[in-house]
């Protein structure tokens, strides 16, 4: 049984993430989407909220599970007996950071955790959680970036409405 983890902040999940989740779920028997509980960051959504949002957004993908983790990804992966991390690559600007992360994880895990990259579909290449938050903060339209129920939750957080 081939299992993989897709780790990330997912604050909030975008259509770009969902595209990677869908495609990875067609490659692996089980895909665990895991939300990083990063105490150094002040997220828009709590880990619990992000997990709930991801569960709702992936409810039609039966082999996708949603979880959360704290600390190092290699320790979480070892605990769960996972050996492949999936990450999406949008543009060359992602590459340097992702390469470093992948190589660091491989080295730290002594080869037990490898990374597989999927290139983001072109229609989502421009998307990022931070730009979605900024647009929503100023009341712009994020309807093409995130599912409707996620957009509603984001506007509610900022107390803004689509202009
Ligand atoms: O969605 P993001 O914020 O780009 O995801 C980054 C993530 C969660 C994959 C990465 O920050 C991570 O794995 N953090 C956990 C701590 C860790 O293992 N760091 C790697 C050692 S440098």
């Amino acid at each position: 049984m081939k299992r993989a983890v897709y780790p990330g902040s997912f604050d909030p999940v975008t259509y770009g993430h969902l595209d990677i989740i869908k495609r990875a779920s067609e490659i692996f028997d089980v895909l665990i989407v895991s939300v990083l509980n990063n105490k150094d960051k002040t997220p828009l959504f709590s880990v619990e909220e992000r997990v709930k949002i991801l569960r709702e957004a992936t409810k039609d993908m039966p082999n996708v599970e949603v979880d959360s983790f704290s600390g190092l990804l290699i320790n979480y992966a070892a605990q769960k007996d996972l050996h492949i991390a999936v990450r999406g690559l949008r543009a060359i600007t992602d590459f340097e950071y992702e390469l470093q992360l992948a190589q660091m994880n491989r080295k730290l895990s002594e080869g037990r955790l490898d990374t597989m990259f999927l290139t983001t579909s072109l229609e989502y290449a421009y998307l990022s959680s931070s730009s979605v938050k900024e647009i929503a903060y100023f009341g712009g339209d994020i309807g093409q970036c995130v599912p409707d129920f996620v957009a509603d939750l984001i506007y509610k957080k900022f107390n803004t409405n689509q202009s």
Side-chain angles (χ1 to χ4, degrees):
M1 181 108 109
K2 281 238 171 295
R3 295 153 74 240
V5 57
Y6 178 21
S9 302
F10 306 107
D11 185 41
V13 67
T14 66
Y15 279 136
H17 297 125
L18 289 169
D19 169 57
I20 298 291
I21 294 172
K22 178 95 189 81
R23 287 160 55 206
S25 76
E26 286 162 5
I27 296 169
F28 295 98
D29 298 310
V30 177
L31 180 72
I32 300 172
V33 181
S34 204
V35 178
L36 173 66
N37 188 356
N38 187 345
K39 298 210 164 57
D40 295 339
K41 277 193 188 171
T42 315
L44 183 62
F45 292 100
S46 69
V47 173
E48 294 73 23
E49 287 172 318
R50 282 178 272 161
V51 166
K52 206 169 154 204
I53 291 170
L54 274 161
R55 288 206 174 117
E56 176 63 25
T58 59
K59 66 178 182 209
D60 295 330
M61 302 180 216
N63 63 334
V64 172
E65 294 171 19
V66 183
D67 193 16
S68 62
F69 74 104
S70 308
L72 290 179
L73 178 64
I74 54 156
N75 292 341
Y76 170 76
Q79 268 168 24
K80 295 257 167 188
D81 197 24
L82 296 162
H83 303 284
I84 300 175
V86 172
R87 293 284 289 168
L89 274 180
R90 287 168 300 191
I92 193 77
T93 40
D94 283 342
F95 185 74
E96 206 173 328
Y97 169 69
E98 293 296 338
L99 183 70
Q100 196 183 17
L101 197 67
Q103 286 175 336
M104 185 68 94
N105 283 335
R106 190 150 186 275
K107 179 83 183 157
L108 284 175
S109 69
E110 296 174 343
R112 282 187 278 271
L113 182 65
D114 225 323
T115 303
M116 198 188 87
F117 294 107
L118 289 178
T119 51
T120 307
S121 298
L122 281 180
E123 67 260 47
Y124 304 126
Y126 62 93
L127 262 183
S128 74
S129 296
S130 18
S131 58
V132 167
K133 284 184 276 196
E134 189 167 341
I135 295 164
Y137 178 79
F138 291 110
D141 183 1
I142 52 169
Q144 290 184 35
C145 308
V146 296
D148 288 349
F149 83 96
V150 182
D152 289 344
L153 291 168
I154 301 170
Y155 288 130
K156 214 163 138 191
K157 283 270 179 197
F158 288 129
N159 217 3
T160 53
N161 285 306
Q162 187 191 321
S163 55

